[in-house]
């Protein structure tokens, strides 16, 4: 296994990096659609502070939303009582909705013979910067079929719902390139606010 601390990064978002400032409304619209499909919109609206109802419930895809609004969305989702499996499933649903608008390159790659997750991992920063204005990530190769992605300056990571759903979104993408993928969120005790790591493995 490669020592990630001493290896060159597999990929990273561009520098200079800054804290998250805005989130693309496309992500929140897809997230709301998943909750609506599951019949949880009434519960969600009760959990969402009223001052954010108009901005979130009337959002259309393609606009930038302040980080405070996105954080209110994920904090409300955190109260809905979903299991880990349930949040992963929602992440997959959201990823399916984003695939056509944001992941077109990955989908085209998936149709080519011999393409593996190693082919799509370097593209992740491009997808990330389409959704998030600010924050950052660095990816490391850990083994023949294993990688780690470190995320930072991302306050949405302080909600379990966002971190776990992100795992589901990742699996939805990587499954296009392998028999089965596994994405596990690793947030060490004492980790700085706005940070987490994702362990990616596949077969």
């Amino acid at each position: 296994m490669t020592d990630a601390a001493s290896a060159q990064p597999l990929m990273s978002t561009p520098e200079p990096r800054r804290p998250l400032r805005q989130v693309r409304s496309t992500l929140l619209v897809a997230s709301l659609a998943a909750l609506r499909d599951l019949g949880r919109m009434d519960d969600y609206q009760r959990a969402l502070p009223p001052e954010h109802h108009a901005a979130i419930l009337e959002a259309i895809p393609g606009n930038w939303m302040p980080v405070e609004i996105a954080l209110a969305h994920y904090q409300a989702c955190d109260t809905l009582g979903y299991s880990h499996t349930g949040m992963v499933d929602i992440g997959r649903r959201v990823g399916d909705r984003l695939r056509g608008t944001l992941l077109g390159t990955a989908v085209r790659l998936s149709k080519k013979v011999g393409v593996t997750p190693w082919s799509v991992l370097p593209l992740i920063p491009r997808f990330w910067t389409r959704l998030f204005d600010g924050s950052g990530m660095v990816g490391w190769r850990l083994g023949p079929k294993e990688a780690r992605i470190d995320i930072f300056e991302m306050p949405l990571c302080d909600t379990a719902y966002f971190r776990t759903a992100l795992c589901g979104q990742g699996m939805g993408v990587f499954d296009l390139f392998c028999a089965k993928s596994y994405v596990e969120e690793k947030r060490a005790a004492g980790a700085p606010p706005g940070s987490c790591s994702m362990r990616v493995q596949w077969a």
Side-chain angles (χ1 to χ4, degrees):
M1 180 176 291
T2 302
D3 179 0
S6 61
Q8 286 293 110
L10 172 69
M11 54 79 170
S12 67
T13 48
E15 295 185 5
R17 302 186 185 101
R18 58 177 180 265
L20 180 68
R21 299 192 303 180
Q22 301 179 102
V23 176
R24 189 72 73 176
S25 60
T26 308
L27 176 61
L28 271 63
V29 170
S31 182
L32 287 179
L35 293 176
R36 190 173 293 111
D37 290 346
L38 294 168
R40 298 300 304 274
M41 281 301 293
D42 287 346
D43 296 331
Y44 170 78
Q45 290 185 53
R46 283 192 290 269
L48 183 69
E51 63 267 26
H52 297 304
H53 279 201
I56 294 176
L57 300 176
E58 299 172 14
I60 59 174
N63 297 323
W64 286 112
M65 306 183 79
V67 61
E68 294 81 10
I69 292 177
L71 187 57
H73 167 73
Y74 286 104
Q75 288 172 338
C77 290
D78 246 357
T79 71
L80 297 180
Y82 278 107
S83 66
H84 180 275
T85 300
M87 290 185 284
V88 168
D89 175 67
I90 289 174
R92 284 183 174 274
R93 291 170 180 262
V94 171
D96 288 345
R97 291 180 179 275
L98 294 177
R99 195 171 294 166
T101 56
L102 294 172
L103 305 179
T105 301
V107 173
R108 288 192 293 273
L109 278 175
S110 71
K111 302 180 187 302
K112 297 183 179 180
V113 176
V115 176
T116 73
W118 293 122
S119 306
V120 74
L121 275 161
L123 301 177
I124 291 178
R126 184 191 308 175
F127 305 150
W128 191 262
T129 56
R130 290 179 184 177
L131 287 175
F132 304 112
D133 174 20
S135 76
M137 63 162 53
V138 179
W140 310 90
R141 183 180 181 123
L142 300 182
K145 294 184 178 182
E146 184 176 7
R148 190 186 82 215
I149 302 173
D150 297 330
I151 300 170
F152 44 89
E153 301 282 12
M154 168 54 78
L156 305 184
C157 282
D158 295 334
T159 68
Y161 188 95
F162 176 82
R163 299 193 309 270
T164 310
L166 191 61
C167 292
Q169 291 179 46
M171 284 186 275
V173 173
F174 294 123
D175 280 352
L176 296 171
F177 306 93
C178 62
K180 180 67 176 176
S181 68
Y182 307 87
V183 181
E184 183 181 9
E185 176 252 324
K186 297 284 189 179
R187 198 169 196 241
S195 67
C196 67
S197 293
M198 302 287 171
R199 183 66 61 92
V200 184
Q201 297 173 298
W202 60 90

